[in-house]
């Protein structure tokens, strides 16, 4: 059957028929699929590659929709697939930890405006005294918060067994409301009690709470809320009007329904407060604008986020917020993924050498690795053959 489908794809007259076969009948592994809606008819090589990857991904019964935006040499292409209501370019998704790259962009803007210095000890920007925030005389520098080398613990406050058990009995919005009461003052209080486990700047250890400390520093430096600061930056510098930390009631009408790893719908919730990591909601169109800006680098703040702050230039490293590595050809790329328990997986990857970037968002939490496989296959089959 797969050989038959490939023969059909080689005949332009059979494109429509092959679309029906691929979308409504079989995955690349020969599994039966329920009908999948899409907005594409396999007109280009890229369409065919994306279609094959996505149909295969959606063969899992606990997956529902895949939305992809691709920027390549000045051209933007979007793809929407769903076993439910078909998403569009203006639907919102929570993009999980990709939000950390936005915190880093705001930090870079603060550096440009001389509000903050990357090489300053963070205690310069904290209220009160924090004699504990050092290891053998070495303090945490601002850049260490943005590149995950702060040596801070991953959790500042452990919830009691009683609280955890109580939360398990609540719906997700109620859990989020409870944990959202953990504010900036709570963060500062707990920060006075933590112990560093190594010299800051010497060891990479992914840390969402460290980035929340950075958010607090930015709020202190600007005397304004992060929500206001990041929205103003995105609109004023990048022309992104549909990327916000929190959705209002009208915007919630345009959110794509998220699902847990068992396929159950998850109620949307705004992740307020300082207990969670940074949060952001966006659309495929806005994320393509973000990708383009990060490839053109006309914005000085984005340029600064791409500068290596940890690691080596020939392998894994960190910029500000962005993780950095090199592909098989030695080309440098920047990436970040995101997984939220409110029902979404996200992956954003930039390849400046090829003037190429991709955003993939799915409304499930089944397997982040599988989302990475989509990106990897598209890159190998399309990008690596078009250079």
């Amino acid at each position: 059957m797969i050989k038959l489908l490939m023969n059909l794809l080689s005949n332009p007259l059979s494109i429509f028929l092959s679309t029906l076969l691929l979308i409504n009948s079989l995955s690349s592994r020969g599994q039966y699929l329920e009908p999948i809606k899409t907005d594409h008819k396999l007109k280009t090589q890229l369409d065919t590659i994306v279609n094959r990857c996505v149909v295969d991904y959606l063969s899992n019964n606990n997956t529902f929709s895949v939305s992809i935006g691709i920027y390549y040499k000045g051209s933007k292409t979007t793809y929407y697939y769903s076993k439910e209501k078909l998403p569009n370019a203006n639907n919102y998704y929570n993009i999980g930890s990709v939000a950390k790259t936005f915190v880093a962009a705001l930090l870079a803007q603060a550096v440009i405006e001389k509000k903050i210095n990357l090489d300053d000890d963070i205690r310069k920007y904290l209220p009160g005294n924090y004699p504990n925030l050092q290891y053998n005389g070495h303090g945490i520098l601002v850049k260490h918060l943005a590149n995950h080398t702060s040596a801070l613990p991953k959790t500042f406050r452990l919830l009691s067994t009683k609280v955890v058990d109580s939360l398990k009995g609540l719906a997700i919005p109620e859990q989020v409301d409870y944990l959202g009461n953990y504010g900036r003052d709570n963060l500062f209080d707990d920060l006075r009690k933590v112990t560093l486990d190594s010299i800051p700047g010497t060891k990479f250890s992914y840390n969402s709470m460290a980035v929340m400390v950075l958010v607090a520093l930015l709020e202190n430096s600007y005397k304004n809320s992060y929500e206001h600061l990041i929205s103003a930056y995105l609109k004023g510098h990048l022309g992104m009007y549909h990327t916000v930390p929190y959705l209002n009631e009208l915007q919630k009408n345009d959110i794509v329904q998220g699902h847990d790893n068992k396929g159950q719908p998850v109620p949307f919730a705004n992740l307020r407060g300082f207990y969670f990591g940074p949060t952001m909601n966006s659309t495929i169109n806005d994320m393509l604008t973000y990708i383009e800006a990060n490839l053109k680098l006309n914005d000085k703040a984005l340029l600064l986020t791409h500068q290596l702050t940890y690691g080596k230039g020939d392998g894994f490293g960190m910029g500000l917020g962005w993780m950095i590595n090199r592909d098989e050809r030695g080309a440098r790329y920047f990436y970040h993924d995101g997984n939220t328990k409110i029902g979404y997986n996200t992956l954003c990857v930039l390849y400046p050498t090829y003037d190429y970037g991709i955003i993939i968002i799915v409304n499930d939490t089944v397997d982040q690795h599988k989302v990475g496989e989509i990106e990897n296959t598209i890159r190998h089959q399309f990008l690596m053959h078009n250079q």
Side-chain angles (χ1 to χ4, degrees):
M1 175 60 76
I2 298 302
K3 184 177 181 180
L4 171 62
L5 293 177
M6 293 306 294
N7 289 335
L8 285 168
L9 287 176
S10 67
N11 184 351
L13 296 177
S14 301
I15 285 179
F16 180 68
L17 175 60
S18 62
T19 303
L20 291 177
L21 284 169
L22 277 169
I23 294 175
N24 294 325
S25 183
L26 297 173
S27 73
S28 64
R29 293 175 295 199
Q31 296 172 303
Y32 177 75
L33 299 178
E34 58 186 285
I36 300 172
K37 305 177 187 72
T38 185
D39 62 337
H40 270 269
K41 297 293 189 293
L42 306 183
K43 294 181 179 180
T44 68
Q45 176 201 31
L46 180 59
D47 295 348
T48 302
I49 294 169
V50 170
N51 186 80
R52 190 179 300 118
C53 293
V54 173
V55 170
D56 186 61
Y57 180 85
L58 290 174
S59 66
N60 187 308
N61 289 333
N62 292 331
T63 59
F64 298 90
S65 299
V66 179
S67 299
I68 298 175
I70 294 175
Y71 177 93
Y72 182 57
K73 294 184 176 180
S75 178
K76 298 176 183 178
T77 309
T78 59
Y79 297 89
Y80 305 97
Y81 288 79
S82 183
K83 294 185 283 189
E84 302 180 317
K85 181 181 178 181
L86 190 67
N88 62 59
N90 296 311
N91 281 139
Y92 285 97
Y93 311 78
N94 186 280
I95 58 173
S97 288
V98 178
K100 293 181 175 69
T101 68
F102 292 96
V103 177
L106 186 60
L107 168 62
Q109 184 61 32
V111 171
I112 291 169
E113 295 176 6
K114 301 188 184 306
K115 295 281 187 180
I116 292 179
N117 188 312
L118 292 177
D119 293 315
D120 278 344
D121 189 307
I122 66 170
R123 289 174 288 188
K124 178 178 178 180
Y125 305 99
L126 291 171
N129 297 316
Y130 295 82
N132 58 311
L133 294 185
Q134 55 84 30
Y135 188 95
N136 291 343
H138 297 272
I140 304 169
L141 306 186
V142 172
K143 63 185 177 184
H144 297 155
L145 298 175
N147 66 14
H148 302 289
T149 65
S150 67
L152 287 166
K154 296 180 184 294
T155 302
F156 292 179
R157 179 179 295 189
L158 294 174
L159 300 177
S160 69
T161 302
K162 182 178 180 180
V163 170
V164 172
D165 289 341
S166 297
L167 288 174
K168 287 180 180 178
L170 300 178
I172 285 185
E174 294 171 318
Q175 294 179 30
V176 169
D177 284 345
Y178 176 84
L179 296 173
N181 289 320
Y182 184 87
R184 186 171 58 178
D185 289 343
N186 300 118
L187 179 78
F188 289 151
D189 288 343
D190 290 342
L191 193 57
R192 291 187 173 90
K193 306 168 188 174
V194 303
T195 301
L196 307 192
D197 65 5
S198 58
I199 296 175
T202 62
K203 183 177 70 174
F204 175 86
S205 181
Y206 190 81
N207 193 322
S208 294
M209 289 306 296
V211 183
M212 292 310 295
V213 173
L214 179 55
V215 169
L217 262 61
L218 288 166
E219 290 189 338
N220 277 1
S221 298
Y222 278 100
K223 308 301 181 188
N224 212 327
S225 72
Y226 174 71
E227 179 181 12
H228 173 83
L229 294 168
I230 193 60
S231 295
Y233 169 75
L234 293 176
K235 292 175 182 178
H237 288 253
L238 306 183
M240 296 174 65
Y241 293 90
H242 303 285
T243 301
V244 292
Y246 314 116
L247 297 182
N248 60 36
E249 293 305 312
L250 184 62
Q251 291 167 329
K252 287 180 184 179
N253 292 329
D254 291 324
I255 191 113
V256 176
Q257 174 65 60
H259 300 81
D260 63 21
N261 57 10
K262 296 180 180 179
Q264 297 302 307
V266 179
F268 178 80
N270 282 314
L271 304 177
R272 296 183 181 275
F274 282 77
Y275 191 84
F276 310 101
T279 186
M280 190 64 74
N281 303 283
S282 191
T283 67
I284 291 292
N285 273 352
D286 249 26
M287 288 305 295
L288 279 172
T289 297
Y290 188 52
I291 287 172
E292 181 177 16
N294 270 280
L295 291 171
K296 289 184 175 180
L297 292 180
N298 294 325
D299 184 81
K300 292 181 180 180
L302 295 185
L303 178 62
L304 182 56
T305 66
H306 288 210
Q307 305 308 303
L308 191 71
T309 63
Y310 173 80
K312 298 180 179 180
D314 59 353
F316 174 79
M318 286 293 304
L320 295 175
W322 290 104
M323 299 173 194
I324 307 172
N325 216 324
R326 292 188 180 272
D327 69 9
E328 300 89 338
R329 296 183 177 183
R332 202 179 190 202
Y333 66 93
F334 301 79
Y335 65 101
H336 213 300
D337 59 17
N339 175 288
T340 68
K341 301 310 177 186
I342 57 173
Y344 309 93
N345 271 324
T346 304
L347 177 61
C348 185
V349 191
L350 314 166
Y351 294 87
T353 301
Y354 310 130
D355 196 19
Y356 171 87
I358 185 169
I359 176 72
I360 304 172
I361 310 177
V362 301
N363 63 334
D364 67 73
T365 56
V366 173
D367 191 346
Q368 182 71 51
H369 178 71
K370 291 292 184 182
V371 178
E373 287 181 356
I374 296 176
E375 186 279 324
N376 194 51
T377 301
I378 293 173
R379 176 170 58 90
H380 275 281
Q381 294 187 13
F382 171 72
L383 183 59
M384 302 301 275
H385 289 90
N386 283 276
Q387 295 299 311

